[in-house]
Every structure is written in structure tokens, then in C-alpha cells.
């Protein structure tokens, strides 16, 4: 017998993603979309879910991931999906796999995003069936996608495909007129296929893997000003997005990218810049970011900072951590792929003197605070050092320099030495200010990359906890309705995609949250193997009791952390194209 609805969610408190106050509503879902919002329970359905005492929210939007590789071989993307992220953006930081082959993709993603190169090469070469962006989008939709995917085209992808990776990473090589026109045509093709815009990168400690171009910076960092202007002009004309990151060592780079959003004498450029972070090493910088965004937008720009709304805690196995790329001695160690050669370098007295000098140099901008007293050892074959900082270990070993204590342990135990530190976003009061700032977008999870280093798959739930805790303590800084909008509808509207809302006619991408379980389980550390990456253990968050239900396209995909049978077998998400909202 035919039923009125496919699924009904009764008795929940609905937040629709617009910022409107919550209302008690029952949600009726039919054919993948919201068909009814009722003040009384609905019954005529194949499945009825009781959400009494729970929140019903639009699925969250993650605007900064590196799922480009995983989407090809494990398209369920379940680590994000299980936490209610139902839409992800790929193609960040100038990196995408639309035009490059497996070998070049391995060089581009392997080191900077800490996805083992051999798995990148295998994934791209085995999956590649496309010759351009429209076919690429169809190839994604042919896979059993878990969440929806929207995409940016990577500037480094364009350059490497047109110039060749070796020539694209040489400062003396400029594109010919024909090569410039080809890049512009490739960008136009991507925008025609529904890509949201282009990502670029100017950060100079993002390094290339492999042998031919090893330790060079990403191709987009070599682009001359004319090349960037012409590509940006296309984005301005098409009203699409530029996502980029500045060279933080050069104030002119930061200023040009911020003020480049302005449309004086031309159309403004929608710009999303990496990133607003309360960095321990330079706490004054964050106080300038929000006012700068306010000034640019008041002058007619359309500028946003990207922001991770939780403490930026990172883990590392030995010296394998991207922050070491920002100074010479750290980059020199990471340049050596062979462990024997690397250990020989790290025992060399001259090298250690250079490392100590870099460690103690407090001049200039930097991401890592370079304080081994603020770095805790969490795993090591020598159990006597677990729970201690490298600084304390140095003190206990006769007053060694902390650098020597660190390098001694790395040489002895390699990647069996695991440690952690918090680099930024450590002050709750600053996080509250950033959460309210209209010039800040909530995102930057890096999901799918840095598999052993960073784990922010549930950043949205953690922000909801922060808001609810403050509200219960009588010190509210943002309403639940407002933060839901920031995590959902605000992002979908700015990027122009069909997501982020729960109104009649909207896509039924949603999650049910148990507010009583917005608790300390959200910060627990877990690891899970990734079968398609040879069993590599990935850092994850698992707080399954917090999310009773996740749905994509009107179909249940997760219940209390358990995947439904459709996940990984049938497509629930789709490729979201710009302007379809």
C-alpha cells in the first residue's frame, strides 16, 4: 500500500538553517525532499522516527576537505557522514585530480596532505575514466557517494597539467600565451561543469613529494601575477569563488589577497582565505583579522576567513608533521624519505646546531610555537617518557637542550614515538568572538588529509557543545539557531549550492542531535584502519550516542554511529553544482 511519506521524524525541535528560532515540528520526507512540516505528529509513513527531546538540523557543510583521493576509492566518506556532515567541498589548497595523472597527483598530495603517495597514485590511476571536469563530476556520481560533494578546481592541477609538473615548479618558467589560454579554457570548462570556483595557494611550506620535484613548493606558488589576474578575472566575471592561502611571511601577499576581493572598477571577487586561527606563536594576529574582513566588506568586497572552531590539536609520529616544513632544518629532515639517511642527518652535530637555532628563532611569522615543553609524548616503546613533554625529558636527562631530547627519541624510535601539541585556537574566549564574526566562515576541517596528524571530523558538534555549555552556564555568546545557520545555510548560500536548509521543498539532508550527549565524548581520541590505504590507522572522533540519525537525500545513512546497509553500496549523495540552489 502506498504511504504518504517515506520517512517521518516526529516531536523534534527543528532548526531550519536560516537562523530562525527553533520550533517544535514533525518532518515528513518524500522523494528525497522535505514534503511537510507539521505542528502535530505525522503517521502515514514507511518509517517513523521519534525525536522527542532531540534537535533536528540540516546536514552540516564542510567547506575545506581533501577527500579528493578517498572519494575515488571509498566514496562513503563515513568519518564525516557519521557526524552529520552531509555536504563536503573538495579541491582545496590548489589541489584537485581533474587534470593530473596518478604520478603527479601523488607528488602533489602525498607530502603536503600526508596521504601516502603510493595510495594516491593507485587511487587516481585505477579510477581515472575522465578527460575533463564534466566527466569527472559524472564519475563521482557513478560512485556510491555517502555525502554530497561540491568541488573547486585546483590552480596547481591546472598548472601541472598544462606546463608539466617539473616546469610548473620552476621560477624561471612562465606560461606562453597558448598555455595561459589553455589554463583559462580549463577553468571555464570546470565552471561550466558546476565547479564552485578555483583554489590556489601561496603558502611556502607546502611541499611536493616524489623524486623529480621533491621539496619544491606547490605549482600555484610559482604563478606570475599576470596568470593569477587572468584566472581571477574569470572568477569575477562568473561570480565564482577563489579559495586561497597567502604567503604568511610576506605581508603584501596577505594584503593583496584580502583586498583583491574588492570590486573597485570591476566586479568583486568572492574570496575565502586560509585561515583565521588564534596562533599560540603570535597571539596578536587574530585581533587584526576580523576588523580587516569588516573593512574590506564595508568597502564592497565579499571576503571571508576560514576558521576551525575548536582547539587545533595535532599529533605526530616522530618528525612526520607538516609544521616542521616551515623552517630550514625541519624541511631538510622531511626532504629525506630514507629513514637511515634521515637518522644520520639528525645525529649530525652541525645539523643539530641548525635545528636549535631554528627552534630558538622567534622572528617572523610562524605556525608552530616551537616549544617542546608544550608537546606531550603519548606513545613510545620507552614507557618512562609517556605523559611527559620533551622539555621535561631533556631536564631529566641532565639538562639537555629540548631539541636534542626530541631528536634522540626520534632517532631511537622513529614513528613509534607519538606526541601531541595544540598549535592554535587554545583560548575559548577568542573562539567565541570568531564564532560571531560575520567575516569568518566556520570550516577548515582538512578531513581526508593528515590521516595521522589531525582529526576534526566532528568540529560542528564540538561547536554546538561550546554554544550549549555557555548557554547553560549563563554566559551565552551565540544562540543555537545562529550557530546552526553558521554551520549549514550560511555556507550553502554563500557558495551557491543546494544544501544547508530544512524547509518544505529542500533536500532532506539532515541529522538528529541528542543535546544531552553534547558532552566530553566529543573530544575522545580514537584510531581506525583505512582498508583501502593498506590498513593505515587514521585518527578519528567517535561519539556515536550524540547523533541518533543522519539522512542524505531522504535516506537514513547512520544511526548511533552504525552505518545503514546503503552506505558504501548505493549512492545517497550527489555532485552539487554551483547555482542549483
Amino acid at each position: 500500500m502506498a504511504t504518504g511519506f517515506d520517512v517521518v521524524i516526529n516531536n523534534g525541535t527543528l532548526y531550519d538553517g536560516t537562523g530562525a528560532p527553533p520550533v517544535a515540528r514533525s518532518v515528513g520526507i518524500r522523494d528525497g525532499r522535505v514534503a511537510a512540516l507539521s505542528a502535530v505528529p505525522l503517521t502515514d509513513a514507511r518509517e517513523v522516527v521519534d525525536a522527542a527531546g532531540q534537535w533536528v538540523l540540516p546536514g552540516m557543510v564542510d567547506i575545506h576537505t581533501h577527500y579528493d583521493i578517498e572519494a575515488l576509492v571509498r566514496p562513503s566518506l563515513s568519518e564525516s557522514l557519521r557526524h552529520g556532515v552531509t555536504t563536503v567541498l573538495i579541491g582545496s589548497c590548489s589541489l584537485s585530480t581533474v587534470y593530473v595523472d596518478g604520478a603527479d597527483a601523488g607528488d602533489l598530495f602525498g607530502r603536503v596532505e600526508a596521504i601516502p603517495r603510493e595510495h594516491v597514485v593507485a587511487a587516481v590511476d585505477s579510477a581515472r575514466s575522465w578527460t575533463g571536469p564534466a566527466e569527472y563530476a559524472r564519475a563521482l556520481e557513478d560512485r556510491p557517494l555517502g555525502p554530497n560533494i561540491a568541488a573547486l578546481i585546483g590552480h596547481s592541477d591546472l598548472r601541472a597539467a598544462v606546463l608539466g609538473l617539473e616546469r610548473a615548479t620552476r621560477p624561471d618558467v612562465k606560461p606562453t600565451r597558448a598555455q595561459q589560454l589553455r589554463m583559462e579554457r580549463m577553468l571555464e570548462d570546470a565552471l561550466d561543469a558546476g565547479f564552485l570556483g578555483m583554489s590556489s595557494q601561496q603558502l611556502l611550506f607546502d611541499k611536493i613529494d616524489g623524486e623529480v620535484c621533491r621539496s619544491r613548493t606547490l605549482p600555484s606558488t610559482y604563478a606570475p601575477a599576470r596568470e593569477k589576474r587572468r584566472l581571477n578575472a574569470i572568477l569575477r566575471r562568473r561570480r565564482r569563488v577563489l579559495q586561497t592561502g597567502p604567503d604568511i611571511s610576506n605581508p603584501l601577499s596577505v594584503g593583496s589577497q584580502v583586498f583583491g576581493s574588492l570590486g573597485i572598477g570591476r566586479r568583486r571577487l568572492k574570496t575565502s582565505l586560509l585561515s583565521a586561527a588564534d596562533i599560540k606563536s603570535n597571539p596578536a594576529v587574530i585581533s587584526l583579522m576580523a576588523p580587516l574582513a569588516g573593512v574590506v566588506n564595508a568597502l564592497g568586497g565579499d571576503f571571508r576567513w576560514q576558521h576551525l572552531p575548536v582547539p587545533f590539536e595535532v599529533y605526530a609520529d616522530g618528525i612526520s608533521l607538516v609544521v616542521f616544513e616551515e623552517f630550514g632544518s625541519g624541511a631538510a629532515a622531511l626532504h629525506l624519505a630514507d629513514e637511515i639517511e634521515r637518522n644520520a642527518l639528525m645525529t649530525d652535530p652541525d645539523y643539530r646546531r641548525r635545528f636549535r637555532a631554528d627552534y630558538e628563532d622567534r622572528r617572523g611569522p610562524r605556525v608552530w610555537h616551537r616549544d617542546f615543553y608544550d608537546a606531550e609524548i603519548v606513545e613510545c616503546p620507552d614507557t618512562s617518557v609517556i605523559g611527559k613533554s620533551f622539555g621535561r625529558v631533556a631536564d631529566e636527562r641532565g639538562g639537555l637542550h629540548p631539541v636534542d631530547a626530541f631528536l634522540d627519541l626520534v632517532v631511537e624510535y622513529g614513528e613509534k614515538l607519538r606526541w601531541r601539541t595544540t598549535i592554535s585556537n587554545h583560548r575559548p574566549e577568542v573562539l567565541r568572538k570568531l564564532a560571531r564574526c560575520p567575516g569568518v566562515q566556520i570550516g577548515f576541517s582538512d578531513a581526508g588529509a593528515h590521516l595521522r596528524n589531525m582529526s576534526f571530523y566532528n568540529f560542528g558538534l564540538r561547536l554546538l557543545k561550546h554554544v550549549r555549555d555557555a548557554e547553560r552556564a549563563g554566559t551565552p555568546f551565540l544562540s543555537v539557531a545562529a550557530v546552526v545557520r553558521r554551520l549549514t545555510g550560511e555556507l550553502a548560500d554563500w557558495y551557491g549550492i543546494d544544501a544547508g536548509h530544512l524547509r518544505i521543498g529542500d533536500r532532506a539532508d539532515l541529522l538528529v542531535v541528542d543535546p544531552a550527549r553534547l558532552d566530553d565524548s566529543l573530544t575522545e581520541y580514537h584510531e581506525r584502519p583505512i582498508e583501502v590505504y593498506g590498513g593505515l590507522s587514521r585518527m578519528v572522533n567517535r561519539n556515536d550516542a550524540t547523533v541518533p540519525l543522519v539522512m542524505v537525500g531522504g535516506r537514513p545513512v547512520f544511526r548511533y554511529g552504525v552505518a545503514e546497509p546503503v552506505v558504501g553500496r548505493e549512492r545517497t549523495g550527489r555532485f552539487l553544482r554551483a547555482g542549483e540552489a
Side-chain angles (χ1 to χ4, degrees):
M1 183 178 68
T3 58
F5 303 104
D6 300 320
V7 180
V8 160
I9 302 173
N10 282 331
N11 307 313
T13 299
L14 177 72
Y15 295 86
D16 68 4
T18 68
V23 290
R25 287 291 183 272
S26 295
V27 183
I29 297 165
R30 185 189 303 116
D31 297 331
R33 293 195 175 262
V34 177
L37 297 173
S38 172
V40 298
L42 301 168
T43 57
D44 189 14
R46 294 190 183 95
E47 179 180 357
V48 177
V49 175
D50 184 11
Q54 298 172 340
W55 299 343
V56 182
L57 320 178
M60 289 183 277
V61 180
D62 188 344
I63 61 171
H64 190 112
T65 82
H66 290 284
Y67 272 135
D68 307 68
I69 309 305
E70 193 168 338
L72 300 176
V73 292
R74 191 175 178 268
S76 64
L77 307 183
S78 56
E79 284 307 328
S80 291
L81 197 62
R82 70 190 304 124
H83 299 293
V85 175
T86 60
T87 298
V88 300
L89 271 63
I90 61 174
S92 299
C93 297
S94 85
L95 304 175
S96 57
T97 62
V98 177
Y99 291 109
V100 293
D101 61 15
D104 284 353
D107 287 355
L108 291 172
F109 280 86
R111 182 165 164 183
V112 63
E113 302 305 341
I115 308 172
R117 183 181 184 278
E118 64 271 21
H119 298 306
V120 178
V121 175
V124 174
D125 281 346
S126 64
R128 191 171 188 87
S129 60
W130 57 87
T131 58
E135 291 172 324
Y136 172 81
R138 287 194 293 270
L140 288 179
E141 287 200 309
D142 285 342
R143 287 167 165 73
L145 293 179
N148 306 302
I149 288 182
L152 302 163
I153 188 71
H155 188 185
S156 289
D157 187 359
L158 300 177
R159 293 200 103 232
V162 171
L163 298 173
L165 184 59
E166 197 281 328
R167 288 176 57 78
T169 53
R170 281 171 44 189
D172 61 320
V173 174
K174 304 293 188 292
T176 65
R177 183 175 183 276
Q179 290 169 333
Q180 176 69 44
L181 291 173
R182 186 179 169 204
M183 279 190 276
E184 292 170 21
R185 182 65 260 169
M186 292 162 79
L187 174 57
E188 294 271 17
D189 288 346
L191 301 184
D192 289 344
F195 281 57
L196 308 187
M198 183 183 76
S199 69
S200 190
Q201 183 64 285
Q202 302 303 314
L203 192 62
L204 296 181
F205 64 77
D206 284 354
K207 302 293 178 61
I208 293 176
D209 206 347
E211 297 180 0
V212 176
C213 305
R214 187 172 183 83
S215 296
R216 296 182 188 179
T217 56
L218 294 177
S220 62
T221 64
Y222 297 88
R226 180 178 181 273
E227 176 184 327
K228 291 183 285 189
R229 282 198 307 270
R230 289 181 64 91
L231 294 173
N232 289 347
I234 295 171
L235 299 174
R236 291 179 191 274
R237 175 170 53 82
R238 301 283 299 263
R239 293 185 170 89
R240 300 292 177 86
V241 173
L242 172 67
Q243 180 218 76
T244 186
D247 172 10
I248 61 173
S249 66
N250 181 0
L252 290 177
S253 173
V254 179
S256 67
Q257 303 220 3
V258 172
F259 287 96
S261 175
L262 290 173
I264 301 173
R266 56 187 177 177
R267 285 181 178 170
R268 62 185 182 177
L269 176 62
K270 296 183 76 168
T271 304
S272 179
L273 193 64
L274 313 181
S275 72
D278 181 22
I279 303 171
K280 277 186 178 181
S281 63
N282 198 340
V285 169
I286 194 64
S287 63
L288 303 175
M289 289 184 170
L292 189 58
V295 168
V296 170
N297 291 329
L299 292 173
D302 195 355
F303 174 83
R304 302 292 186 275
W305 295 103
Q306 291 189 6
H307 168 61
L308 176 70
V310 302
F312 203 104
E313 183 181 44
V314 299
Y315 284 71
D317 297 323
I319 200 170
S320 297
L321 186 62
V322 68
V323 297
F324 289 108
E325 302 273 22
E326 71 178 354
F327 56 92
S329 56
L334 294 176
H335 174 75
L336 299 173
D338 182 81
E339 184 178 11
I340 295 175
E341 292 182 358
R342 186 182 289 184
N343 285 345
L345 176 69
M346 290 188 293
T347 56
D348 179 78
D350 288 337
Y351 172 79
R352 290 196 171 204
R353 278 193 289 272
R354 296 201 309 274
F355 200 119
R356 288 194 294 268
D358 287 335
Y359 174 84
E360 292 170 349
D361 185 358
R362 295 296 187 261
R363 297 170 299 173
R366 60 193 184 279
V367 173
W368 178 36
H369 46 74
R370 302 184 199 174
D371 182 1
F372 277 130
Y373 284 91
D374 185 9
E376 179 190 7
I377 300 166
V378 295
E379 292 179 24
C380 185
D382 179 358
T383 58
S384 70
V385 301
I386 294 176
K388 299 176 182 178
S389 71
F390 292 106
R392 180 179 169 189
V393 171
D395 293 341
E396 291 177 352
R397 294 186 175 183
L400 287 177
H401 193 286
V403 164
D404 291 304
F406 170 72
L407 293 176
D408 286 345
L409 289 169
V410 171
V411 169
E412 186 168 1
Y413 299 113
E415 294 193 347
K416 294 179 181 178
L417 171 72
R418 190 153 176 78
W419 55 281
R420 67 182 179 188
T421 187
T422 298
I423 291 175
S424 63
N425 298 345
H426 53 295
R427 296 183 291 182
E429 65 276 13
V430 177
L431 290 179
R432 294 182 192 122
K433 291 179 181 178
L434 290 172
R436 295 194 303 266
C437 177
V440 165
Q441 290 180 334
I442 306 298
F444 195 61
S445 76
D446 257 355
H450 305 288
L451 305 171
R452 299 284 300 151
N453 302 134
M454 308 172 194
S455 182
F456 306 117
Y457 296 91
N458 69 348
F459 69 92
L461 297 175
R462 291 174 68 178
L463 179 56
L464 285 171
K465 177 184 184 298
H466 192 177
V467 167
R468 187 169 185 266
D469 286 350
E471 195 174 72
R472 297 174 74 184
T475 56
F477 64 94
L478 202 63
S479 70
V480 174
V483 78
V484 168
R485 180 185 67 85
R486 302 226 66 196
L487 291 164
T488 60
E490 177 183 303
L491 299 172
D493 292 345
W494 197 81
Y495 285 92
I497 52 177
D498 182 13
H501 298 96
L502 276 183
R503 305 160 301 194
I504 291 178
D506 285 327
R507 287 175 52 83
D509 304 330
L510 60 85
L511 70 155
V512 177
V513 171
D514 183 351
R517 295 308 301 266
L518 290 170
D519 55 29
D520 289 342
S521 67
L522 293 167
T523 60
E524 290 178 358
Y525 175 95
H526 301 277
E527 293 194 18
R528 290 294 186 276
I530 312 174
E531 294 79 6
V532 294
Y533 289 166
L536 175 69
S537 185
R538 166 169 40 198
M539 289 176 53
V540 299
N541 305 113
R542 293 285 174 93
N543 42 280
D544 298 333
T546 310
V547 185
L549 176 67
V550 182
M551 299 181 70
V552 179
R555 304 180 71 182
V557 290
F558 266 91
R559 300 178 197 266
Y560 291 102
V562 178
E564 291 288 293
V566 299
V567 176
R569 295 183 175 87
E570 300 178 30
R571 179 169 65 86
T572 52
R574 64 185 184 93
F575 187 84
L576 299 184
R577 292 166 175 83
E580 288 186 340

